[in-house]
Amino acid sequence: MSITACLLALFYSCGGNNTSSNVEAKGGEKTGKDKMLETGADLIQDKTPLSTFNTYLDGFHFYNGNLHAQMEAHHYVSQLNNDMYQAIIFDGNGKDAKLMGVEYIITAKLFKTLPEKEKLLWHSHHYEVKSGELIAPGLPEKAEHELMEKIVSTYGKTIHTWHTDQDRTLPMGMPMLMMGFTKEGQLNPAAVADRDKRFNVSKEEKKRNRADIPMPQVDPNANAWEKGKVRQFIITDQVDSAMNKHMMKP
């Protein structure tokens, strides 16, 4: 019994299956045939791209333009090279987790190369790291600290496609550009307390442990919402809009 208890404690301390999805997706139960096909596909098909998503980060986002519309986000991250990462975002960390969106993460080196209009869509990670808000569940403290030393000076572009925080049981509505918090007093403390309890961590303790991580110089064009330069997606009937947006035209 003691061995089982220890294994369970280790499993949950790693952030496995301790956060349920916000909603139950509409639709009927899987059929026996569906389950058989899934089992066969799992055994036979190659899933190499998915195997590279090997780092788990837990943090918080808000809808660009509405600081009070906040939600927890579970990131599963793949590092493409020394300067770029990509993340799949879920609303939980269990089997029922819903795919909520994606985030692209780049270093300051690459961020400097972006067009000025593009920079308005990105947020910095300096506060998320330094405040202890962002965590890597299950990693030893030293390993997490080293990871945060890299993330602190990066920038993220985040898009949510399924708004389960609004109790939407289907991926309805517009994809939304998300932002990250930049100072104390913005993030709902109750949300942090709930998260910390589930993962058995302390944001304030993380903050103290990361005090030695240097605060980066944040590009003034990031976190544009702070200056009232809010950007969001819209639905349009202008057939050339995709080309215009791609070419960074107004």
Side-chain angles (χ1 to χ4, degrees):
M1 288 296 293
S2 60
I3 294 175
T4 301
C6 288
L7 289 174
L8 285 172
L10 177 62
F11 177 75
Y12 283 105
S13 70
C14 292
N17 202 31
N18 70 358
T19 307
S20 298
S21 173
N22 295 320
V23 298
E24 183 175 344
K26 284 187 176 180
E29 292 291 328
K30 292 181 184 179
T31 65
K33 186 176 182 180
D34 288 335
K35 294 176 181 178
M36 287 182 61
L37 288 171
E38 282 186 347
T39 301
D42 188 44
L43 293 172
I44 298 170
Q45 290 189 302
D46 180 78
K47 293 174 280 293
T48 297
L50 293 178
S51 69
T52 66
F53 288 85
N54 47 34
T55 302
Y56 174 29
L57 296 173
D58 181 86
F60 298 86
H61 297 156
F62 67 91
Y63 293 96
N64 194 19
N66 186 355
L67 181 62
H68 302 292
Q70 308 175 2
M71 75 289 301
E72 187 176 351
H74 302 260
H75 305 63
Y76 293 85
V77 187
S78 168
Q79 183 173 2
L80 296 175
N81 53 51
N82 195 48
D83 293 290
M84 187 169 186
Y85 307 76
Q86 55 187 0
I88 308 171
I89 305 173
F90 293 85
D91 70 343
N93 59 16
K95 291 183 178 180
D96 65 341
K98 308 305 183 296
L99 178 59
M100 195 162 62
V102 297
E103 179 168 2
Y104 300 100
I105 302 169
I106 59 176
T107 60
K109 171 186 171 182
L110 290 186
F111 188 77
K112 291 178 181 177
T113 69
L114 297 178
E116 296 305 298
K117 287 184 179 179
E118 173 65 22
K119 289 181 178 180
L120 302 179
L121 309 180
W122 296 68
H123 61 274
S124 66
H125 293 130
H126 71 287
Y127 172 78
E128 295 183 48
V129 169
K130 292 288 289 179
S131 68
E133 172 201 313
L134 186 67
I135 63 173
L139 278 188
E141 182 61 41
K142 184 177 180 180
E144 185 187 59
H145 192 281
E146 291 181 0
L147 176 61
M148 294 301 162
E149 287 177 337
K150 296 191 67 175
I151 295 176
V152 70
S153 58
T154 62
Y155 297 84
K157 182 180 184 180
T158 305
I159 300 165
H160 282 194
T161 53
W162 190 343
H163 312 304
T164 65
D165 60 292
Q166 300 176 26
D167 295 325
R168 296 191 180 183
T169 56
L170 288 172
M172 297 171 58
M174 286 295 300
M176 299 292 283
L177 186 68
M178 312 304 291
M179 286 288 148
F181 299 94
T182 56
K183 62 182 64 173
E184 296 289 342
Q186 295 174 343
L187 177 57
N188 181 359
V192 178
D194 178 65
R195 187 279 305 273
D196 285 2
K197 182 178 180 181
R198 276 183 279 113
F199 288 98
N200 192 29
V201 300
S202 166
K203 172 183 175 295
E204 293 307 312
E205 184 177 340
K206 298 284 187 186
K207 180 179 179 179
R208 289 191 294 271
N209 291 341
R210 299 173 190 174
D212 63 323
I213 298 179
M215 177 68 79
Q217 183 81 25
V218 179
D219 191 297
N221 287 308
N223 310 310
W225 64 272
E226 292 184 310
K227 308 171 188 69
K229 297 180 179 179
V230 175
R231 299 291 185 271
Q232 264 307 347
F233 298 110
I234 61 169
I235 295 177
T236 176
D237 58 3
Q238 297 181 31
V239 295
D240 65 339
S241 63
M243 182 180 293
N244 287 340
K245 297 299 183 185
H246 181 69
M247 299 302 292
M248 301 307 295
K249 295 179 180 179

